[in-house]
Amino acid sequence: MRTGVRLTAAAAALALIISAGFVGCRHGDSPEPANTGSPSALVTETAGASFEPGASVGPGYSEPAGTDAAASASPTALPPGVTADPGASAYPTENPGATDGATAQPAVSGQPGVTAQPTGQGGATNPPAPGTAQPTASPKPTTRPTPVPAPISTATPKPTNTPKPDPVTALTWLELDTPVSCDMDFDGKAEKVELTQTESGGKKLISLKVTNGKTGKVLMDSVTCDRFVNGLINNFNTGDRRVEVMLSVSSGTRDDVTHAYRLNSSSSGLLKCSCAGLVESVNGSSMQIARMLDLLGTWNCTASYAVSYDKFELVRSGSDWIVTQEEDRWCTSSTDFVAAVYLSGSDNSANWFGAGEKLRPVSTDLESRMDFVTDTGTRGYFDITVDSNGRVTKVNGYAPTALFGDLNYID
């Protein structure tokens, strides 16, 4: 009987424990989940809870330590309204497929500190396995990149024929047997201009040949000389619609001549004029002509020349021929003479010079006056007489050789 009492008492105690367990489950029921259609929609009430043996599953319930999977499958342990699938665990885990010891997923958002768990439905992907790094989305550019222009490919130009030189429009010095183009009458058609040289009877024949650019007619003139000196093309008179050609030649020791050419008014022929001397330089619409003059002896002189507007001729534009000074060359008087001396400005006076006076010519108008300077710096002038060849024949009424005994002339 004592044994039966003990068993009955034990049975009573067990019944009391079981009854207390049912009462505890009813009072500690978890709130019904918002989505009861799938076990995956269930969430824990306490975020971050672990499902290790003996851990709390819900208020008022503890799984007995050491209880196996069959014992935990009791229907009494399921939350109200949830039916266990055959063969499935009565208490689905928060992370299906996770092993014991895995960390539970965050809880549903809307409650403080609770985050919704991805359901895996509606195209959502399952959460990555523990320890897997989350993919990071590439940031969108905040500014539009600056486009880089494509490199430009430049084709290599094809070689072309050598272009013909443009017609000359400014001062151009000519060479023998080297033609140039020049619109000599401003009609838009360039003429061909060339100088050639041939020899005949020991003399040289220099020929100017101009081929009309519009008609093709060849216009020519020739001069005989001992030497070709130079030739040039230049428009000396702007506005007269004509370009001039100059040709300088020399014969003997001092016979120098410059010939000037240009087309006539109808461009059907060549006009020609000449002057003694050689073209030494050109400056705009004027040129320097150099020639030998017999003054007190023979001296090299230069003068400025231009092409006349009134008619086609070369005229001296300066008043004087300027004598080229030669070092240590003087004219020594062989007798006394009287000559005018420049004092200041236009003032002058007659001055007596004795024999042995040293002086040399400075300039002359080659008409009536020749200036001189003495070796002591005194400046004066002589009255002169000039013949048709430009030779000074009288100095203050006397032959030059009558006053100076050391004059050097060049024939």
Side-chain angles (χ1 to χ4, degrees):
M1 290 299 290
R2 290 178 180 173
T3 304
V5 173
R6 290 191 189 95
L7 292 174
T8 302
L14 178 60
L16 182 59
I17 293 172
I18 294 173
S19 174
F22 277 108
V23 173
C25 287
R26 283 196 296 270
H27 289 284
D29 286 343
S30 299
E32 184 175 342
N35 184 0
T36 59
S38 172
S40 63
L42 295 179
V43 296
T44 61
E45 289 196 13
T46 305
S50 299
F51 289 92
E52 295 181 359
S56 174
V57 176
Y61 176 81
S62 298
E63 186 180 66
T67 305
D68 57 15
S72 65
S74 174
T76 60
L78 293 174
V82 178
T83 306
D85 291 335
S89 174
Y91 294 94
T93 62
E94 296 300 320
N95 188 6
T99 59
D100 290 345
T103 304
Q105 297 297 316
V108 178
S109 63
Q111 299 180 12
V114 179
T115 306
Q117 175 183 346
T119 63
Q121 299 177 356
T125 58
N126 291 329
T132 303
Q134 294 287 345
T136 303
S138 300
K140 295 181 179 180
T142 57
T143 58
R144 180 175 297 178
T146 303
V148 178
I152 299 175
S153 178
T154 304
T156 302
K158 295 181 180 180
T160 58
N161 294 330
T162 303
K164 295 181 179 179
D166 292 334
V168 296
T169 57
L171 170 65
T172 303
W173 293 91
L174 300 176
E175 296 180 7
L176 293 174
D177 303 315
T178 305
V180 299
S181 296
C182 176
D183 188 357
M184 296 182 64
D185 53 4
F186 294 85
D187 64 351
K189 301 292 184 179
E191 277 67 46
K192 180 182 178 182
V193 181
E194 57 185 323
L195 293 175
T196 60
Q197 175 179 288
T198 57
E199 292 191 20
S200 177
K203 289 286 186 178
K204 291 182 173 59
L205 190 69
I206 309 299
S207 299
L208 167 66
K209 184 165 65 174
V210 176
T211 304
N212 187 289
K214 182 176 291 186
T215 65
K217 183 179 179 179
V218 177
L219 309 175
M220 182 181 292
D221 186 65
S222 301
V223 296
T224 302
C225 62
D226 290 338
R227 295 177 301 280
F228 164 77
V229 179
N230 58 45
L232 63 93
I233 294 175
N234 192 48
N235 183 15
F236 286 97
N237 292 336
T238 302
D240 66 356
R241 303 188 65 80
R242 286 294 181 269
V243 173
E244 290 76 28
V245 177
M246 300 292 166
L247 170 62
S248 295
V249 295
S250 180
S251 296
T253 58
R254 51 178 294 177
D255 187 10
D256 304 327
V257 182
T258 292
H259 304 283
Y261 300 89
R262 74 177 179 190
L263 294 175
N264 61 18
S265 59
S266 62
S267 299
S268 59
L270 290 173
L271 299 178
K272 178 182 179 181
C273 63
S274 305
C275 72
L278 306 172
V279 176
E280 187 176 70
S281 62
V282 176
N283 182 18
S285 60
S286 64
M287 69 192 88
Q288 288 295 115
I289 297 291
R291 64 178 292 194
M292 290 183 175
L293 292 177
D294 290 338
L295 306 176
L296 298 178
T298 304
W299 296 78
N300 288 311
C301 304
T302 60
S304 179
Y305 270 71
V307 179
S308 173
Y309 273 96
D310 298 331
K311 60 181 180 179
F312 188 55
E313 65 178 350
L314 297 174
V315 295
R316 194 171 77 237
S317 55
S319 61
D320 288 353
W321 286 91
I322 307 302
V323 178
T324 301
Q325 299 300 303
E326 299 178 28
E327 187 177 2
D328 293 332
R329 182 182 177 186
W330 299 95
C331 303
T332 307
S333 63
S334 56
T335 184
D336 298 339
F337 66 95
V338 177
V341 174
Y342 293 113
L343 298 178
S344 63
S346 59
D347 294 338
N348 54 72
S349 66
N351 194 35
W352 183 271
F353 293 91
E357 188 74 44
K358 293 182 179 297
L359 57 81
R360 59 190 177 192
V362 174
S363 62
T364 178
D365 62 3
L366 207 59
E367 294 176 0
S368 62
R369 187 196 81 258
M370 179 174 62
D371 294 338
F372 66 86
V373 61
T374 67
D375 60 349
T376 59
T378 301
R379 291 183 175 273
Y381 68 91
F382 295 116
D383 292 326
I384 61 173
T385 301
V386 182
D387 65 14
S388 58
N389 295 320
R391 177 187 289 263
V392 174
T393 59
K394 295 293 181 68
V395 176
N396 284 353
Y398 296 92
T401 55
L403 299 177
F404 301 91
D406 57 356
L407 301 184
N408 184 17
Y409 287 92
I410 299 175
D411 294 330

